[in-house]
Amino acid sequence: MERGTYDRMSRNEDVHWWFAGRRDVIRATIDRLISLPENARILEAGCGTGGNLEMLMGLGELDAFEYDAEARAIAAEKSCLEIAYGALPNDIPNQDKKYDLIALFDVLEHIEDDRATLEGLSGYLAGDARLFVTVPALPWMWSSHDEMHHHFRRYTKNSLKEVSERAGLEVEYSFYFNSLLFPIAVGLRRFKALFHKETADDAMPSDWVNKILYRVFSTERHFVGRFHAPIGLSVCAILKRKQAG
């Protein structure tokens, strides 16, 4: 990503409605749909500036890696963890370790070879462990936001399933989320395209707008495992290794 994107992420990810709402949905998904052992071993691949680390640290023994040196330094300062260097798909640290949960939150779209990335991370899964992935949804929603964040693609549930299966994984559970705000997002992106507004969607809105958007998005945590939205701005998938035979 561009330098300004990391800087903006570091400033905003604790309070911005999208980051905070996504954390709520992620935590609800783990609590309801993923069974973790006591003292679970967890890896966040591509942790960025560390906005999810505190949440994940509450679930077990956490490792994390990140490609960008400045982002690593920010994440280490926030979390007091040692954040390793790593680059997907081929340069993954801690090669002697296995994990009960690997988190890949809005990272896969940044990697040109997504199949190799999923395949590489699958080798770090303990026996019945899970790989938890979130990605931006719907290729027709492509915009300047994706270009500014150096995305290679957006996904559907089916396209994420297909690449997962090619990587030797199967989808245990998947769903669209950030659905309640979907109509607003479509209208906003069409407005930006019409008037050539080249701005990222993660800019910080006013305080009252941010609070409203967060409350709407965070409401979706109650849907997890209970209701499947037909469409949304993001896709979540819980993956596991295919069983032999």
Side-chain angles (χ1 to χ4, degrees):
M1 291 190 287
E2 296 177 2
R3 179 82 280 122
T5 301
Y6 280 120
D7 294 340
R8 187 168 58 248
M9 183 186 302
S10 176
R11 291 194 305 270
N12 297 343
E13 63 187 346
D14 288 343
V15 295
H16 188 284
W17 67 270
W18 186 84
F19 291 105
R22 184 185 64 160
R23 275 195 301 273
D24 290 348
V25 172
I26 287 171
R27 182 57 193 261
T29 302
I30 294 172
D31 288 345
R32 292 183 195 158
L33 301 178
I34 300 176
S35 179
L36 291 176
E38 189 175 354
N39 300 318
R41 296 156 298 175
I42 301 169
L43 172 68
E44 184 173 12
C47 68
T49 54
N52 301 308
L53 295 176
E54 182 177 358
M55 173 192 65
L56 294 172
M57 287 168 66
L59 298 170
E61 177 187 324
L62 179 64
D63 290 331
F65 70 83
E66 167 59 37
Y67 174 80
D68 184 85
E70 187 172 343
R72 284 200 309 276
I74 295 170
E77 183 176 0
K78 282 183 178 180
S79 65
C80 297
L81 290 174
E82 180 179 348
I83 309 299
Y85 166 83
L88 296 166
N90 298 318
D91 197 356
I92 302 174
N94 301 322
Q95 295 187 8
D96 59 336
K97 295 190 73 171
K98 300 289 184 180
Y99 295 93
D100 301 300
L101 175 66
I102 297 178
L104 191 68
F105 298 143
D106 287 82
V107 173
L108 194 60
E109 67 274 13
H110 295 275
I111 311 299
E112 186 169 9
D113 194 339
D114 52 355
R115 183 206 59 77
T117 293
L118 294 175
E119 188 174 49
L121 288 172
S122 72
Y124 290 77
L125 293 171
D128 197 33
R130 298 297 185 268
L131 174 55
F132 184 1
V133 179
T134 64
V135 289
L138 307 176
W140 59 266
M141 281 289 287
W142 185 270
S143 71
S144 59
H145 171 86
D146 297 283
E147 294 169 2
M148 293 174 70
H149 284 73
H150 297 179
H151 293 174
F152 282 97
R153 68 197 73 80
R154 300 178 71 92
Y155 292 83
T156 63
K157 283 174 61 176
N158 283 338
S159 67
L160 185 54
K161 178 182 178 181
E162 288 169 2
V163 71
S164 299
E165 290 179 343
R166 293 201 307 271
L169 296 160
E170 61 181 272
V171 177
E172 182 176 56
Y173 199 93
S174 69
F175 59 92
Y176 288 106
F177 69 103
N178 202 353
S179 302
L180 296 177
L181 295 170
F182 183 77
I184 296 174
V186 171
L188 181 60
R189 292 197 181 188
R190 288 183 175 174
F191 173 84
K192 288 181 178 181
L194 181 63
F195 292 98
H196 305 289
K197 299 288 187 180
E198 302 296 322
T199 59
D201 293 347
D202 57 357
M204 192 73 187
S206 65
D207 184 59
W208 69 271
V209 170
N210 188 62
K211 288 179 179 178
I212 291 172
L213 294 175
Y214 165 69
R215 287 174 183 171
V216 173
F217 187 8
S218 181
T219 296
E220 296 188 24
R221 71 190 187 277
H222 301 298
F223 301 168
V224 173
R226 298 167 179 166
F227 170 76
H228 279 213
I231 202 167
L233 292 170
S234 297
V235 183
C236 167
I238 300 170
L239 310 176
K240 62 181 181 178
R241 285 186 298 200
K242 287 183 180 178
Q243 299 298 315

